[in-house]
Every structure is written in structure tokens, then in C-alpha cells.
Amino acid sequence: MHYPVTTRTMKAGLDEHGILHVVGLEGAVHTLADAHENVRAVGAFVGTTPRPTLIDLRDVKYQEREARELYASPEGTGAAMAFAVLVGSSVSRVIGNMFLIASRPPVPTRLFSDKAEALAWLRTFL
């Protein structure tokens, strides 16, 4: 897949179905400044059409609390109609579920460990 958008901490592109893929770069630590940059870059790429969005966090080292809060806010979710978040371990799944309960993103959001399952769920939003 081609990723025409790249920042310090992620890369993003659209697949043939129109699903936005956002991949956290290996070892990246997302600060609030990174979150702002990522939200702006993805928003500029997709424009005003919300997309089903796959977010692959399996290789990300850490996201600061403020960055997670921005990503889950109306500003951070503006380019999405739904989020499928790929996590790499049972610990990150537990932490992610606690965060989702606390933050209540304004779009449907689910955690997955299997990419095919995540994409199948996202296709229901097309």
C-alpha cells in the first residue's frame, strides 16, 4: 500500500476500498505536538469526507495522555466515521479498553489484534 502522508510519528494512505490506514512508526512516542501534526496532516489529506479508519499502533512505543485525549476528541476524530485500532498485546488491549471507556470517542471505535477482522468491521461503514 502507498502512504503519501508521513509525519515524525506516523504514515497514512487510502486503500482501494476508501479505508484510511494510519500506521504508527516503529518506536514512536506521540506527544501532544505530534498529535496536532498528525491530525492536521490526515485532515488535509482526506478533506471533508470522513473515512472508516484503521489505526495500527502495534509498533508505537507510547502515546502521552494529552496526545491520546486529542486523538479521541472531536478535533482528532473529524476525518473518521469509525476507528478500528490495532493493538499488539493483551496489556495494550486492556489499557486501550480502559481509555475508550473513559474518553468515549464521538465515532464508533473498537480494538482489534487481527487486521483482517478490523478491516472487515470497517467495511460495514462504507
Side-chain angles (χ1 to χ4, degrees):
M1 187 171 141
H2 177 66
Y3 296 96
V5 177
T6 303
T7 69
R8 192 181 77 78
T9 58
M10 67 89 192
K11 60 185 179 179
L14 290 173
D15 70 14
E16 66 276 8
H17 302 287
I19 294 173
L20 177 64
H21 292 241
V22 178
V23 180
L25 300 181
E26 186 174 353
V29 174
H30 290 237
T31 65
L32 180 58
D34 293 317
H36 279 292
E37 178 185 19
N38 295 342
V39 168
R40 279 191 303 272
V42 168
F45 176 63
V46 299
T48 59
T49 304
R51 304 277 182 174
T53 303
L54 177 72
I55 301 175
D56 187 344
L57 298 178
R58 294 175 294 182
D59 290 332
V60 170
K61 183 175 181 180
Y62 182 71
Q63 289 180 333
E64 292 179 352
R65 181 181 54 82
E66 295 84 0
R68 291 191 306 268
E69 289 172 354
L70 176 66
Y71 289 141
S73 73
E75 177 186 353
T77 60
M81 65 174 57
F83 284 123
V85 182
L86 284 175
V87 294
S89 70
S90 55
V91 171
S92 48
R93 180 179 281 281
V94 169
I95 292 168
N97 278 320
M98 290 188 315
F99 176 73
L100 291 178
I101 290 167
S103 67
R104 301 189 188 274
V107 298
T109 304
R110 287 186 53 192
L111 298 178
F112 293 88
S113 55
D114 182 86
K115 186 175 182 177
E117 288 178 18
L119 289 170
W121 181 73
L122 287 172
R123 284 188 198 103
T124 67
F125 293 92
L126 294 173

